Amino acid sequence: MKILVASHLEQSAISQLQQRYDVICAFDQPTADLSSLIRDREVLVFRSGVEITRALMDCAPDLKLLVRAGCGLDNLDCEYVRKRGIVLRRIPEPAAQAVAEMALALMFALARNIRQADAMLRRGQWAKETLEGHLVAGKVLGIVGAGNIGSRLGVLASAVGMEPIGCIADSTPAVVQTLRDKGITVADFHTVLAAADFVSVHVPLNDSTRNLINGRALSLMKEGSYLINLARGGVVDETALYAALATGRLCGAALDVHEHEGQGQISPLAQLSNVVLTPHIGASTIETQQQIGVRVVEIIEAFVQQSEQQSGHQSQHQSMTVARREVDIRVTTAALSDEMVRI
């Protein structure tokens, strides 16, 4: 099996793959470079930050398996993948806990002015009297997207005394009951925004969620509340968020994902002291990356084994078909010989 690993992967997982397969590693490469490397590849492993376009996949006629080392698919042409019949496997579980914990950490950082306190102390300012913060216990946590990650955050928040309320697309009675069993009240989007002291966003980026948190949505939030985004940068209208923060309508915000990401990018929100910015590290824990690496290897090995079994069955079927054809030919020849004799 020929594999292209287009994003960073835990080293032990790469080593295991290299021992068994033909592996090319091309981390953080431009699309043009990937186009030349993917030509004979059968498997592509990727994460966010790498655009997997139709044009790129068209360069790989033998491509059979896509492994998304995470859960988001906003960087993949899913419709083309379906049309072409390429197998797609995601790995959502390991990152979910890490992202949920990161959201809680950012909430604490906002509530207790951790960023400001650190910066001031590094300048020699002992600002003990001016850095009074808030408890998170007793506060309402609004979860926009109470799915795999959001529901985990709700459980963590409940443990520290918060009251989680969440909304979810395409909810069913069973899903609503599951969330309630976890202590999460289910409500509509607008109710969640209006009720929450902290709003944490955990939805995929697609046409329906792009700029979901826009000026109108921000105006529905409580005055003095906080916004946390660990979903995708495009979900939040950062211009509208800047205005809400600058005017004091929102007390603060924390963003791990941004409209423009990558080396050299500086968010306009960096100008504001009540904002915490991190470089898309929600899933960046040692344990999470180890778990993702293990799953990548397991997925590829299972796919190879299944392919070999199918190939074996196909070969057996072809052999049986050939054998039947040979019998048919012999029977037909014998029949013709008898007929010729009779004539």
Side-chain angles (χ1 to χ4, degrees):
M1 193 66 68
K2 296 182 178 181
I3 303 168
L4 174 60
V5 182
S7 302
H8 288 277
L9 196 64
E10 204 265 334
Q11 184 54 50
S12 65
I14 292 175
S15 297
Q16 288 182 59
L17 293 174
Q18 287 175 331
Q19 289 172 8
R20 304 167 196 177
Y21 310 110
D22 177 352
V23 180
I24 295 176
C25 294
F27 306 149
D28 304 320
Q29 295 294 316
T31 302
D33 290 347
L34 289 179
S35 296
S36 62
L37 295 173
I38 200 174
R39 294 188 184 282
D40 65 341
R41 300 292 100 178
E42 300 165 279
V43 179
L44 173 62
V45 181
F46 68 100
R47 315 184 80 130
S48 62
V50 181
E51 290 296 321
I52 310 301
T53 63
R54 173 174 183 161
L56 178 64
M57 289 183 281
D58 270 342
C59 295
D62 298 327
L63 189 61
K64 301 180 181 70
L65 172 66
L66 294 170
V67 183
R68 168 64 169 97
C71 59
L73 296 174
D74 51 286
N75 58 330
L76 175 67
D77 187 335
C78 295
E79 183 61 29
Y80 177 72
V81 171
R82 281 190 291 269
K83 286 181 179 178
R84 188 164 149 186
I86 299 171
V87 177
L88 171 63
R89 294 286 182 265
R90 298 186 307 145
I91 308 175
E93 288 299 327
Q97 183 67 24
V99 175
E101 290 186 13
M102 180 80 171
L104 189 63
L106 291 174
M107 269 188 275
F108 280 120
L110 289 171
R112 300 305 301 271
N113 300 308
I114 301 298
R115 193 198 73 78
Q116 298 95 316
D118 177 79
M120 293 173 77
L121 193 57
R122 289 173 188 274
R123 296 194 299 265
Q125 296 175 259
W126 191 261
K128 183 178 175 66
E129 305 302 323
T130 62
L131 288 171
E132 190 173 51
H134 296 278
L135 290 173
V136 298
K139 300 298 190 299
V140 176
L141 167 62
I143 305 169
V144 178
N148 190 24
I149 296 171
S151 61
R152 288 172 185 255
L153 174 60
V155 172
L156 292 174
S158 295
V160 296
M162 299 188 80
E163 301 174 23
I165 176 173
C167 58
I168 187 167
D170 303 321
S171 64
T172 64
V175 169
V176 170
Q177 187 57 53
T178 298
L179 291 172
R180 286 175 178 167
D181 291 343
K182 293 180 178 181
I184 302 170
T185 301
V186 180
D188 62 77
F189 175 58
H190 290 168
T191 300
V192 168
L193 294 179
D197 300 293
F198 294 82
V199 172
S200 192
V201 184
H202 303 281
V203 296
L205 177 61
N206 52 44
D207 291 340
S208 65
T209 62
R210 190 174 298 279
N211 286 332
L212 177 68
I213 308 299
N214 53 21
R216 171 163 171 68
L218 293 168
S219 72
L220 294 174
M221 291 175 61
K222 281 184 181 179
E223 189 166 350
S225 57
Y226 299 87
L227 178 72
I228 299 98
N229 184 19
L230 287 99
R232 286 292 185 269
V235 173
V236 174
D237 181 341
E238 292 184 5
T239 301
L241 177 59
Y242 187 102
L245 291 164
T247 60
R249 174 165 183 77
L250 294 191
C251 195
L255 294 89
D256 184 49
V257 290
H258 315 272
E259 287 186 13
H260 303 287
E261 297 187 352
Q263 193 69 26
Q265 297 288 344
I266 300 177
S267 170
L269 295 167
Q271 302 172 36
L272 303 175
S273 62
N274 56 344
V275 176
V276 177
L277 302 172
T278 52
H280 206 147
I281 56 173
S284 296
T285 71
I286 292 172
E287 297 84 356
T288 298
Q289 298 313 308
Q290 288 174 339
Q291 292 168 24
I292 290 175
V294 168
R295 286 293 298 127
V296 168
V297 173
E298 289 176 347
I299 287 170
I300 292 175
E301 290 189 338
F303 181 79
V304 170
Q305 184 176 9
Q306 184 180 23
S307 298
E308 289 174 347
Q309 290 174 347
Q310 290 175 346
S311 178
H313 291 323
Q314 186 176 9
S315 297
Q316 184 179 9
H317 176 71
Q318 289 174 343
S319 297
M320 291 175 66
T321 301
V322 169
R324 283 198 298 270
R325 285 175 180 170
E326 289 176 348
V327 170
D328 291 342
I329 292 169
R330 287 196 297 271
V331 169
T332 303
T333 303
L336 285 173
S337 297
D338 291 343
E339 187 68 24
M340 289 173 67
V341 168
R342 286 196 296 271
I343 289 173

PDB file of all heavy atoms in Angstrom, residues 116-142:
ATOM      1  N   GLN A 116      -4.013  38.772  31.286  1.00  0.00           N
ATOM      2  CA  GLN A 116      -3.628  40.121  31.714  1.00  0.00           C
ATOM      3  C   GLN A 116      -2.701  40.070  32.921  1.00  0.00           C
ATOM      4  O   GLN A 116      -1.713  40.815  32.999  1.00  0.00           O
ATOM      5  CB  GLN A 116      -4.876  40.946  32.058  1.00  0.00           C
ATOM      6  CG  GLN A 116      -5.832  41.154  30.890  1.00  0.00           C
ATOM      7  CD  GLN A 116      -6.946  40.125  30.861  1.00  0.00           C
ATOM      8  OE1 GLN A 116      -6.687  38.928  31.054  1.00  0.00           O
ATOM      9  NE2 GLN A 116      -8.158  40.581  30.587  1.00  0.00           N
ATOM     10  N   ALA A 117      -3.010  39.183  33.872  1.00  0.00           N
ATOM     11  CA  ALA A 117      -2.193  39.080  35.080  1.00  0.00           C
ATOM     12  C   ALA A 117      -0.765  38.676  34.752  1.00  0.00           C
ATOM     13  O   ALA A 117       0.205  39.240  35.282  1.00  0.00           O
ATOM     14  CB  ALA A 117      -2.824  38.083  36.043  1.00  0.00           C
ATOM     15  N   ASP A 118      -0.627  37.713  33.867  1.00  0.00           N
ATOM     16  CA  ASP A 118       0.700  37.250  33.472  1.00  0.00           C
ATOM     17  C   ASP A 118       1.485  38.366  32.780  1.00  0.00           C
ATOM     18  O   ASP A 118       2.657  38.607  33.096  1.00  0.00           O
ATOM     19  CB  ASP A 118       0.550  36.043  32.540  1.00  0.00           C
ATOM     20  CG  ASP A 118       1.883  35.543  32.024  1.00  0.00           C
ATOM     21  OD1 ASP A 118       2.581  34.840  32.776  1.00  0.00           O
ATOM     22  OD2 ASP A 118       2.233  35.875  30.869  1.00  0.00           O
ATOM     23  N   ALA A 119       0.840  39.046  31.829  1.00  0.00           N
ATOM     24  CA  ALA A 119       1.524  40.106  31.085  1.00  0.00           C
ATOM     25  C   ALA A 119       1.957  41.248  32.003  1.00  0.00           C
ATOM     26  O   ALA A 119       3.071  41.775  31.880  1.00  0.00           O
ATOM     27  CB  ALA A 119       0.615  40.634  29.983  1.00  0.00           C
ATOM     28  N   MET A 120       1.099  41.638  32.932  1.00  0.00           N
ATOM     29  CA  MET A 120       1.415  42.763  33.828  1.00  0.00           C
ATOM     30  C   MET A 120       2.537  42.395  34.797  1.00  0.00           C
ATOM     31  O   MET A 120       3.443  43.198  35.045  1.00  0.00           O
ATOM     32  CB  MET A 120       0.159  43.184  34.584  1.00  0.00           C
ATOM     33  CG  MET A 120      -0.916  43.787  33.674  1.00  0.00           C
ATOM     34  SD  MET A 120      -2.486  44.115  34.492  1.00  0.00           S
ATOM     35  CE  MET A 120      -2.068  45.616  35.386  1.00  0.00           C
ATOM     36  N   LEU A 121       2.491  41.193  35.308  1.00  0.00           N
ATOM     37  CA  LEU A 121       3.525  40.777  36.251  1.00  0.00           C
ATOM     38  C   LEU A 121       4.885  40.683  35.578  1.00  0.00           C
ATOM     39  O   LEU A 121       5.924  40.987  36.177  1.00  0.00           O
ATOM     40  CB  LEU A 121       3.145  39.436  36.886  1.00  0.00           C
ATOM     41  CG  LEU A 121       3.964  39.019  38.124  1.00  0.00           C
ATOM     42  CD1 LEU A 121       3.885  40.080  39.210  1.00  0.00           C
ATOM     43  CD2 LEU A 121       3.493  37.683  38.655  1.00  0.00           C
ATOM     44  N   ARG A 122       4.904  40.284  34.309  1.00  0.00           N
ATOM     45  CA  ARG A 122       6.158  40.235  33.572  1.00  0.00           C
ATOM     46  C   ARG A 122       6.750  41.632  33.366  1.00  0.00           C
ATOM     47  O   ARG A 122       7.944  41.769  33.110  1.00  0.00           O
ATOM     48  CB  ARG A 122       5.946  39.545  32.215  1.00  0.00           C
ATOM     49  CG  ARG A 122       5.700  38.045  32.317  1.00  0.00           C
ATOM     50  CD  ARG A 122       5.330  37.441  30.975  1.00  0.00           C
ATOM     51  NE  ARG A 122       4.928  36.055  31.107  1.00  0.00           N
ATOM     52  CZ  ARG A 122       5.764  35.018  31.099  1.00  0.00           C
ATOM     53  NH1 ARG A 122       7.067  35.237  30.945  1.00  0.00           N
ATOM     54  NH2 ARG A 122       5.320  33.783  31.237  1.00  0.00           N
ATOM     55  N   ARG A 123       5.909  42.645  33.452  1.00  0.00           N
ATOM     56  CA  ARG A 123       6.382  44.037  33.358  1.00  0.00           C
ATOM     57  C   ARG A 123       6.668  44.642  34.722  1.00  0.00           C
ATOM     58  O   ARG A 123       6.952  45.840  34.837  1.00  0.00           O
ATOM     59  CB  ARG A 123       5.340  44.892  32.629  1.00  0.00           C
ATOM     60  CG  ARG A 123       5.096  44.501  31.178  1.00  0.00           C
ATOM     61  CD  ARG A 123       4.322  45.586  30.433  1.00  0.00           C
ATOM     62  NE  ARG A 123       3.014  45.816  31.020  1.00  0.00           N
ATOM     63  CZ  ARG A 123       1.893  45.230  30.596  1.00  0.00           C
ATOM     64  NH1 ARG A 123       1.941  44.346  29.584  1.00  0.00           N
ATOM     65  NH2 ARG A 123       0.732  45.500  31.178  1.00  0.00           N
ATOM     66  N   GLY A 124       6.566  43.818  35.772  1.00  0.00           N
ATOM     67  CA  GLY A 124       6.834  44.312  37.118  1.00  0.00           C
ATOM     68  C   GLY A 124       5.643  44.944  37.802  1.00  0.00           C
ATOM     69  O   GLY A 124       5.785  45.531  38.877  1.00  0.00           O
ATOM     70  N   GLN A 125       4.457  44.831  37.201  1.00  0.00           N
ATOM     71  CA  GLN A 125       3.266  45.426  37.793  1.00  0.00           C
ATOM     72  C   GLN A 125       2.562  44.412  38.699  1.00  0.00           C
ATOM     73  O   GLN A 125       2.140  43.359  38.247  1.00  0.00           O
ATOM     74  CB  GLN A 125       2.293  45.887  36.694  1.00  0.00           C
ATOM     75  CG  GLN A 125       2.827  46.993  35.817  1.00  0.00           C
ATOM     76  CD  GLN A 125       1.861  47.310  34.684  1.00  0.00           C
ATOM     77  OE1 GLN A 125       2.058  46.883  33.539  1.00  0.00           O
ATOM     78  NE2 GLN A 125       0.802  48.036  34.999  1.00  0.00           N
ATOM     79  N   TRP A 126       2.452  44.752  39.970  1.00  0.00           N
ATOM     80  CA  TRP A 126       1.781  43.895  40.946  1.00  0.00           C
ATOM     81  C   TRP A 126       0.332  44.371  41.043  1.00  0.00           C
ATOM     82  O   TRP A 126      -0.032  45.173  41.888  1.00  0.00           O
ATOM     83  CB  TRP A 126       2.479  43.981  42.287  1.00  0.00           C
ATOM     84  CG  TRP A 126       2.017  42.944  43.270  1.00  0.00           C
ATOM     85  CD1 TRP A 126       1.108  43.114  44.266  1.00  0.00           C
ATOM     86  CD2 TRP A 126       2.444  41.588  43.341  1.00  0.00           C
ATOM     87  NE1 TRP A 126       0.926  41.956  44.961  1.00  0.00           N
ATOM     88  CE2 TRP A 126       1.747  40.988  44.414  1.00  0.00           C
ATOM     89  CE3 TRP A 126       3.348  40.818  42.606  1.00  0.00           C
ATOM     90  CZ2 TRP A 126       1.920  39.656  44.781  1.00  0.00           C
ATOM     91  CZ3 TRP A 126       3.521  39.503  42.969  1.00  0.00           C
ATOM     92  CH2 TRP A 126       2.823  38.929  44.053  1.00  0.00           C
ATOM     93  N   ALA A 127      -0.513  43.861  40.135  1.00  0.00           N
ATOM     94  CA  ALA A 127      -1.864  44.409  39.964  1.00  0.00           C
ATOM     95  C   ALA A 127      -2.908  43.630  40.752  1.00  0.00           C
ATOM     96  O   ALA A 127      -4.032  43.418  40.282  1.00  0.00           O
ATOM     97  CB  ALA A 127      -2.213  44.416  38.487  1.00  0.00           C
ATOM     98  N   LYS A 128      -2.580  43.229  41.942  1.00  0.00           N
ATOM     99  CA  LYS A 128      -3.469  42.406  42.758  1.00  0.00           C
ATOM    100  C   LYS A 128      -4.845  43.040  42.955  1.00  0.00           C
ATOM    101  O   LYS A 128      -5.871  42.369  42.922  1.00  0.00           O
ATOM    102  CB  LYS A 128      -2.812  42.135  44.117  1.00  0.00           C
ATOM    103  CG  LYS A 128      -3.610  41.233  45.028  1.00  0.00           C
ATOM    104  CD  LYS A 128      -2.848  40.983  46.311  1.00  0.00           C
ATOM    105  CE  LYS A 128      -3.670  40.175  47.303  1.00  0.00           C
ATOM    106  NZ  LYS A 128      -3.928  38.813  46.833  1.00  0.00           N
ATOM    107  N   GLU A 129      -4.876  44.372  43.140  1.00  0.00           N
ATOM    108  CA  GLU A 129      -6.138  45.030  43.455  1.00  0.00           C
ATOM    109  C   GLU A 129      -7.011  45.293  42.233  1.00  0.00           C
ATOM    110  O   GLU A 129      -8.187  45.612  42.379  1.00  0.00           O
ATOM    111  CB  GLU A 129      -5.858  46.368  44.169  1.00  0.00           C
ATOM    112  CG  GLU A 129      -4.996  46.246  45.417  1.00  0.00           C
ATOM    113  CD  GLU A 129      -5.609  45.306  46.450  1.00  0.00           C
ATOM    114  OE1 GLU A 129      -6.855  45.298  46.585  1.00  0.00           O
ATOM    115  OE2 GLU A 129      -4.852  44.565  47.110  1.00  0.00           O
ATOM    116  N   THR A 130      -6.452  45.176  41.028  1.00  0.00           N
ATOM    117  CA  THR A 130      -7.205  45.547  39.831  1.00  0.00           C
ATOM    118  C   THR A 130      -7.599  44.352  38.968  1.00  0.00           C
ATOM    119  O   THR A 130      -8.240  44.533  37.930  1.00  0.00           O
ATOM    120  CB  THR A 130      -6.392  46.520  38.957  1.00  0.00           C
ATOM    121  OG1 THR A 130      -5.193  45.874  38.533  1.00  0.00           O
ATOM    122  CG2 THR A 130      -6.049  47.784  39.737  1.00  0.00           C
ATOM    123  N   LEU A 131      -7.226  43.160  39.389  1.00  0.00           N
ATOM    124  CA  LEU A 131      -7.483  41.983  38.567  1.00  0.00           C
ATOM    125  C   LEU A 131      -8.536  41.063  39.186  1.00  0.00           C
ATOM    126  O   LEU A 131      -8.434  39.850  39.107  1.00  0.00           O
ATOM    127  CB  LEU A 131      -6.182  41.215  38.328  1.00  0.00           C
ATOM    128  CG  LEU A 131      -5.189  41.896  37.378  1.00  0.00           C
ATOM    129  CD1 LEU A 131      -3.856  41.177  37.384  1.00  0.00           C
ATOM    130  CD2 LEU A 131      -5.758  41.950  35.963  1.00  0.00           C
ATOM    131  N   GLU A 132      -9.545  41.663  39.764  1.00  0.00           N
ATOM    132  CA  GLU A 132     -10.623  40.881  40.346  1.00  0.00           C
ATOM    133  C   GLU A 132     -11.415  40.190  39.232  1.00  0.00           C
ATOM    134  O   GLU A 132     -11.827  40.824  38.255  1.00  0.00           O
ATOM    135  CB  GLU A 132     -11.545  41.793  41.147  1.00  0.00           C
ATOM    136  CG  GLU A 132     -12.560  41.051  41.994  1.00  0.00           C
ATOM    137  CD  GLU A 132     -13.336  41.998  42.894  1.00  0.00           C
ATOM    138  OE1 GLU A 132     -13.865  42.994  42.365  1.00  0.00           O
ATOM    139  OE2 GLU A 132     -13.401  41.734  44.094  1.00  0.00           O
ATOM    140  N   GLY A 133     -11.629  38.909  39.379  1.00  0.00           N
ATOM    141  CA  GLY A 133     -12.318  38.150  38.330  1.00  0.00           C
ATOM    142  C   GLY A 133     -13.674  37.654  38.764  1.00  0.00           C
ATOM    143  O   GLY A 133     -14.331  38.250  39.625  1.00  0.00           O
ATOM    144  N   HIS A 134     -14.101  36.553  38.150  1.00  0.00           N
ATOM    145  CA  HIS A 134     -15.412  35.974  38.444  1.00  0.00           C
ATOM    146  C   HIS A 134     -15.265  34.486  38.727  1.00  0.00           C
ATOM    147  O   HIS A 134     -14.374  33.819  38.210  1.00  0.00           O
ATOM    148  CB  HIS A 134     -16.352  36.135  37.243  1.00  0.00           C
ATOM    149  CG  HIS A 134     -16.662  37.551  36.905  1.00  0.00           C
ATOM    150  ND1 HIS A 134     -17.621  38.287  37.564  1.00  0.00           N
ATOM    151  CD2 HIS A 134     -16.145  38.368  35.961  1.00  0.00           C
ATOM    152  CE1 HIS A 134     -17.683  39.504  37.044  1.00  0.00           C
ATOM    153  NE2 HIS A 134     -16.797  39.575  36.061  1.00  0.00           N
ATOM    154  N   LEU A 135     -16.187  33.947  39.524  1.00  0.00           N
ATOM    155  CA  LEU A 135     -16.325  32.507  39.646  1.00  0.00           C
ATOM    156  C   LEU A 135     -17.006  31.970  38.396  1.00  0.00           C
ATOM    157  O   LEU A 135     -17.833  32.655  37.790  1.00  0.00           O
ATOM    158  CB  LEU A 135     -17.180  32.146  40.862  1.00  0.00           C
ATOM    159  CG  LEU A 135     -16.594  32.385  42.249  1.00  0.00           C
ATOM    160  CD1 LEU A 135     -17.660  32.119  43.306  1.00  0.00           C
ATOM    161  CD2 LEU A 135     -15.378  31.507  42.489  1.00  0.00           C
ATOM    162  N   VAL A 136     -16.672  30.749  38.024  1.00  0.00           N
ATOM    163  CA  VAL A 136     -17.451  30.089  36.965  1.00  0.00           C
ATOM    164  C   VAL A 136     -18.572  29.269  37.586  1.00  0.00           C
ATOM    165  O   VAL A 136     -19.597  29.025  36.937  1.00  0.00           O
ATOM    166  CB  VAL A 136     -16.562  29.218  36.046  1.00  0.00           C
ATOM    167  CG1 VAL A 136     -15.541  30.063  35.328  1.00  0.00           C
ATOM    168  CG2 VAL A 136     -15.916  28.079  36.808  1.00  0.00           C
ATOM    169  N   ALA A 137     -18.393  28.824  38.822  1.00  0.00           N
ATOM    170  CA  ALA A 137     -19.444  28.083  39.516  1.00  0.00           C
ATOM    171  C   ALA A 137     -20.690  28.952  39.614  1.00  0.00           C
ATOM    172  O   ALA A 137     -20.614  30.136  39.960  1.00  0.00           O
ATOM    173  CB  ALA A 137     -18.971  27.673  40.904  1.00  0.00           C
ATOM    174  N   GLY A 138     -21.817  28.360  39.299  1.00  0.00           N
ATOM    175  CA  GLY A 138     -23.074  29.087  39.345  1.00  0.00           C
ATOM    176  C   GLY A 138     -23.416  29.831  38.071  1.00  0.00           C
ATOM    177  O   GLY A 138     -24.513  30.368  37.930  1.00  0.00           O
ATOM    178  N   LYS A 139     -22.491  29.875  37.150  1.00  0.00           N
ATOM    179  CA  LYS A 139     -22.734  30.562  35.878  1.00  0.00           C
ATOM    180  C   LYS A 139     -23.359  29.600  34.864  1.00  0.00           C
ATOM    181  O   LYS A 139     -23.190  28.386  34.939  1.00  0.00           O
ATOM    182  CB  LYS A 139     -21.419  31.116  35.304  1.00  0.00           C
ATOM    183  CG  LYS A 139     -20.726  32.127  36.217  1.00  0.00           C
ATOM    184  CD  LYS A 139     -21.573  33.345  36.454  1.00  0.00           C
ATOM    185  CE  LYS A 139     -20.804  34.459  37.168  1.00  0.00           C
ATOM    186  NZ  LYS A 139     -20.324  34.064  38.502  1.00  0.00           N
ATOM    187  N   VAL A 140     -24.051  30.175  33.885  1.00  0.00           N
ATOM    188  CA  VAL A 140     -24.677  29.389  32.823  1.00  0.00           C
ATOM    189  C   VAL A 140     -23.700  29.273  31.659  1.00  0.00           C
ATOM    190  O   VAL A 140     -23.184  30.274  31.163  1.00  0.00           O
ATOM    191  CB  VAL A 140     -25.988  30.037  32.340  1.00  0.00           C
ATOM    192  CG1 VAL A 140     -26.570  29.249  31.156  1.00  0.00           C
ATOM    193  CG2 VAL A 140     -26.999  30.113  33.475  1.00  0.00           C
ATOM    194  N   LEU A 141     -23.462  28.043  31.224  1.00  0.00           N
ATOM    195  CA  LEU A 141     -22.619  27.782  30.061  1.00  0.00           C
ATOM    196  C   LEU A 141     -23.509  27.455  28.877  1.00  0.00           C
ATOM    197  O   LEU A 141     -24.245  26.459  28.900  1.00  0.00           O
ATOM    198  CB  LEU A 141     -21.660  26.616  30.328  1.00  0.00           C
ATOM    199  CG  LEU A 141     -20.943  26.049  29.093  1.00  0.00           C
ATOM    200  CD1 LEU A 141     -20.055  27.111  28.443  1.00  0.00           C
ATOM    201  CD2 LEU A 141     -20.135  24.812  29.447  1.00  0.00           C
ATOM    202  N   GLY A 142     -23.458  28.266  27.842  1.00  0.00           N
ATOM    203  CA  GLY A 142     -24.199  27.989  26.615  1.00  0.00           C
ATOM    204  C   GLY A 142     -23.320  27.246  25.626  1.00  0.00           C
ATOM    205  O   GLY A 142     -22.241  27.731  25.272  1.00  0.00           O
TER     206      GLY A 142
END
